[in-house]
Amino acid sequence: MRLYLLTMCLSWVGIGGWLICSSTSVAQEKSKLPAVPEGYDDTPVIPGQTWRVHDRHRPRPTAVKPGDELGQPPSDAVILFDGKDLSAWETSGKKGDDGKPAAAGWKVENGYMEVAARSGSIQTREHFGDCQLHIEWATPAEVKGKSQGRGNSGVIIMGRYEIQVLDSYENDTYPDGQAGSIYGQHPPEVNVARAPGKWQVYDIVFEAPRFDGDKLTKPARATVFHNGVLVQNAKEFVGPMAHKEVHPYRAHGLAGPLQLQDHGNPTRFRNIWYRPLRAEQTPWLSIEGGEGNGQGKKVVLIAGDEEYRSEEALPQLAKVLAKHHGFHTTVLFSTNPDTGLIDPNMQTNIPGMHHLKDADLVIMALRFRELPDWQMQYFVDYINAGKPVIGLRTATHAFNYSRAKDSPFSSWSFNSRKWEGGFGQQVLGDTWISHHGRHGSQSTRGVINESAKSHPVLRGVKDVWGPTDVYGIKHLPADANVLLWGQVLAGMQPADKAVDGVVNNPMMPLAWVREHKSAEGKVCKIFCTTMGASTDLQSEDLRRLIVNAAYWATGIEDKIPEKADVSIVGEFKPTMFGFRNDPKFWPSQKLTPTSFAN
Ligand code: MG
């Protein structure tokens, strides 16, 4: 499949086995509306809705760019296979020698993948549920076997619900097992199979089942077009796929892997993509850049800490960078893989790390994450490529390998002995040391380091204050250039006095820049500050410091404005920092990336 570079309000990014694209946000669409939008406000209210007929105030649908040719992914699709490699896939249920899911062993050539018989079914590493799914397939041109033995495979959504793939061209078999069937349950309405070896296409609308505790409240359902012809119309699954049996539903979450079946026949697949059915199911937040000094540069912001509300802070930073400075921004979140909901306590899953493949800058506010190796690999590759990082607050202890101690990335752990102090100490400049000020009762004043006051990152920065305490810093290497010192204040108000005595003499480094030489000899520009809670971002000059750092890190420090515009975009009501240990708390908040879109 070809890659596109679309200009205008859309952008494509080609990366490994993924293609990601982003479209104009709803908020932007609204902002483009004329002062008096087209429509009416004196018409009757539509029964069952809150909108009037032709309501002028009704939100306009998000703009999505269709593929240039039929069947090609639209701008908001998540590409699962673009014909190049199987990096987005793993072998189902089979572990490698290291105990991790084994790499997918199917053949990839000429833009398609082909079942390597008996290497095992494969599945996507990312999990999803409700979707529009596009998938193209071809059974072997050379016909061997009969009935279920001809070109058998399957598209098994959430690893449970199968739309059968079979050579159904002049091949008798049981109808609920032919191509287009919901296997073992519903035959297709018609048999629209193409001849063996020809490419065929499924377009599927799938809705995951819903459960209340163990009780099924809504069965799974699929609408399937086979070669453009409707073969399943909103058909309900009676349960998960089974052979010669009926299996009842067993409660599960809202997301699962897409599986492709190894049934021993060399069936081929290509051009696989999906779209979440609703915008709130997109597992990251993309905000299109516009005009501005950062135009054309991509910033990925990674939120994932239990305490300092990075899920609030980073979307606001992303909006400031995009709306005022033109950077294209994408925010990733720690997310419960089963529900798709943001959960800062979920240390082991951040969907969308593949966005790092072509990022120009990463801004991270992670704490004690322990990502699966395939997600972490994107981060490690990014650092090894010598790309810049802005670390906020807990980023000094971003990773903690307390479970997967044999991971190839365990040395990135904040407490690593093998690579002393891990990512924090080695790359940013220090790891977790201590609360130097009293946590929750002594706030922090940023004091400009006189010898660095002409540094471009400090341009227009004077008054930095935040309610978080000063962190202890012990190992900062001599090459680090301290921009701000952290002065411990006696209380939680900006007017509070500095504490007398040794705690402020000398003061701890609060913000610094340095260069890190990666394992591959490349040099990363680093900006790090131990401030950065969402409440800290109420400080205009802290926002300015970080925005200036984004310019510096991406090589456009000569364009840093005298006083960068960092005015708040949309709604920003930061929550006071604190842990939320009740396991029911985050699920009850029902936060998704779109919660922070406006
Ligand atoms: Mg099958």
Side-chain angles (χ1 to χ4, degrees):
M1 194 172 55
R2 283 186 296 142
L3 298 187
Y4 292 82
L5 185 65
L6 304 176
T7 48
M8 299 170 12
C9 64
L10 303 157
S11 67
W12 279 94
V13 183
I15 35 180
W18 300 83
L19 278 178
I20 295 304
C21 33
S22 53
S23 60
T24 311
S25 71
V26 176
Q28 262 188 311
E29 283 302 300
K30 278 185 200 158
S31 69
K32 282 183 195 161
L33 287 178
V36 182
E38 289 295 324
Y40 296 83
D41 43 25
D42 56 355
T43 45
V45 172
I46 304 167
Q49 300 188 15
T50 55
W51 303 105
R52 295 177 183 280
V53 177
H54 317 314
D55 199 315
R56 75 166 79 248
H57 303 292
R58 197 164 188 163
R60 270 52 177 171
T62 300
V64 170
K65 171 90 164 58
D68 280 357
E69 289 166 39
L70 292 179
Q72 287 183 333
S75 58
D76 61 350
V78 177
I79 283 71
L80 298 170
F81 179 65
D82 70 352
K84 292 200 178 73
D85 61 63
L86 293 173
S87 56
W89 299 77
E90 63 192 20
T91 299
S92 303
K94 195 158 112 188
K95 307 276 191 205
D97 294 339
D98 55 1
K100 306 220 167 63
W106 293 14
K107 189 162 80 180
V108 176
E109 60 181 20
N110 303 323
Y112 60 79
M113 62 165 94
E114 183 180 296
V115 177
R118 281 166 287 283
S119 69
S121 298
I122 65 171
Q123 64 184 31
T124 54
R125 288 173 153 158
E126 295 269 11
H127 291 194
F128 56 95
D130 296 355
C131 64
Q132 172 191 349
L133 176 67
H134 177 96
I135 183 163
E136 299 174 16
W137 53 275
T139 59
E142 187 192 345
V143 173
K144 284 186 186 165
K146 63 183 186 89
S147 184
Q148 292 290 304
R150 267 175 64 172
N152 195 335
S153 182
V155 173
I156 307 176
I157 302 172
M158 302 184 84
R160 295 175 175 87
Y161 306 104
E162 183 180 18
I163 311 297
Q164 171 72 319
V165 168
L166 194 78
D167 176 358
S168 285
Y169 187 82
E170 298 175 354
N171 174 31
D172 186 55
T173 191
Y174 44 80
D176 64 10
Q178 70 183 69
S181 66
I182 292 178
Y183 186 79
Q185 302 178 16
H186 302 293
E189 296 290 343
V190 291
N191 181 356
V192 65
R194 285 195 177 132
K198 299 268 189 216
W199 282 102
Q200 313 202 42
V201 57
Y202 282 161
D203 285 290
I204 300 168
V205 179
F206 176 81
E207 289 176 64
R210 300 299 199 266
F211 300 89
D212 182 5
D214 288 339
K215 195 167 154 269
L216 178 76
T217 56
K218 188 173 161 252
R221 174 196 285 214
T223 295
V224 180
F225 292 87
H226 180 191
N227 297 328
V229 175
L230 183 71
V231 294
Q232 303 285 351
N233 183 14
K235 279 284 168 55
E236 291 181 350
F237 288 74
V238 301
M241 180 268 284
H243 176 56
K244 295 173 75 175
E245 289 176 5
V246 174
H247 285 184
Y249 277 100
R250 290 176 65 178
H252 57 75
L254 289 171
L258 173 68
Q259 237 172 49
L260 300 178
Q261 191 181 40
D262 170 9
H263 205 284
N265 303 140
T267 298
R268 295 170 179 174
F269 294 92
R270 70 178 185 191
N271 191 18
I272 309 174
W273 51 265
Y274 81 93
R275 301 174 60 251
L277 284 193
R278 287 175 286 283
E280 70 267 22
Q281 293 169 329
T282 301
W284 45 78
L285 176 67
S286 280
I287 304 168
E288 199 64 33
E291 286 180 20
N293 295 325
Q295 191 164 20
K297 295 193 185 295
K298 296 192 171 75
V299 183
V300 176
L301 303 96
I302 318 175
D305 87 286
E306 298 88 337
E307 189 175 9
Y308 296 105
R309 304 283 71 83
S310 54
E311 72 283 358
E312 298 173 351
L314 295 197
Q316 179 55 227
L317 271 180
K319 285 184 256 190
V320 167
L321 287 165
K323 305 285 181 186
H324 300 322
H325 302 279
F327 291 93
H328 176 86
T329 58
T330 299
V331 190
L332 314 182
F333 299 88
S334 286
T335 301
N336 182 322
D338 294 327
T339 61
L341 295 173
I342 292 173
D343 183 346
N345 293 344
M346 175 63 61
Q347 296 173 327
T348 53
N349 183 48
I350 298 181
M353 291 294 285
H354 53 278
H355 285 279
L356 268 62
K357 273 277 204 181
D358 75 335
D360 297 300
L361 172 64
V362 160
I363 300 181
M364 57 187 293
L366 298 179
R367 178 184 180 278
F368 285 174
R369 299 300 103 163
E370 189 171 355
L371 301 179
D373 292 341
W374 69 274
Q375 291 183 2
M376 187 66 180
Q377 185 74 56
Y378 291 110
F379 187 81
V380 171
D381 288 348
Y382 177 89
I383 298 294
N384 286 344
K387 293 185 175 182
V389 176
I390 292 180
L392 303 180
R393 190 64 177 169
T394 55
T396 57
H397 41 299
F399 306 109
N400 180 17
Y401 281 77
S402 61
R403 310 168 184 85
K405 290 189 169 44
D406 60 342
S407 162
F409 308 121
S410 62
S411 63
W412 291 59
S413 202
F414 81 106
N415 54 0
S416 173
R417 292 271 167 82
K418 213 161 80 189
W419 197 37
E420 198 63 39
F423 162 79
Q425 188 172 327
Q426 297 291 332
V427 178
L428 296 183
D430 210 346
T431 182
W432 166 248
I433 303 296
S434 62
H435 287 284
H436 181 69
R438 276 209 298 275
H439 184 33
S441 63
Q442 292 182 327
S443 61
T444 298
R445 162 76 50 204
V447 176
I448 288 171
N449 180 3
E450 270 302 301
S451 68
K453 68 180 179 193
S454 57
H455 196 282
V457 172
L458 285 171
R459 194 167 298 157
V461 173
K462 291 187 183 71
D463 177 20
V464 172
W465 173 84
T468 54
D469 63 303
V470 174
Y471 269 179
I473 293 293
K474 198 160 108 187
H475 303 107
L476 203 58
D479 65 30
N481 187 1
V482 175
L483 304 182
L484 291 179
W485 301 106
Q487 187 179 56
V488 179
L489 302 192
M492 295 297 281
Q493 298 301 322
D496 284 327
K497 289 202 167 54
V499 173
D500 285 333
V502 289
V503 75
N504 279 320
N505 188 21
M507 290 180 285
M508 289 289 168
L510 183 72
W512 61 87
V513 290
R514 71 175 297 253
E515 289 183 344
H516 164 71
K517 203 168 190 188
S518 78
E520 293 170 8
K522 307 264 179 59
V523 174
C524 317
K525 293 172 94 172
I526 303 295
F527 168 87
C528 186
T529 174
T530 56
M531 288 187 119
S534 64
T535 46
D536 294 341
L537 283 189
Q538 286 174 305
S539 165
E540 179 181 325
D541 274 356
L542 178 64
R543 298 197 299 275
R544 185 162 292 122
L545 182 77
I546 298 167
V547 167
N548 289 353
Y551 275 70
W552 171 81
T554 56
I556 52 171
E557 64 267 28
D558 54 322
K559 293 184 179 161
I560 296 175
E562 281 310 309
K563 199 174 177 191
D565 182 358
V566 293
S567 47
I568 294 292
V569 178
E571 189 154 294
F572 186 53
K573 289 181 184 154
T575 312
M576 188 58 181
F577 50 82
F579 287 94
R580 299 286 190 174
N581 292 326
D582 178 355
K584 292 194 187 117
F585 179 79
W586 289 113
S588 75
Q589 298 301 295
K590 297 203 183 321
L591 293 177
T592 67
T594 47
S595 309
F596 300 99
N598 295 317

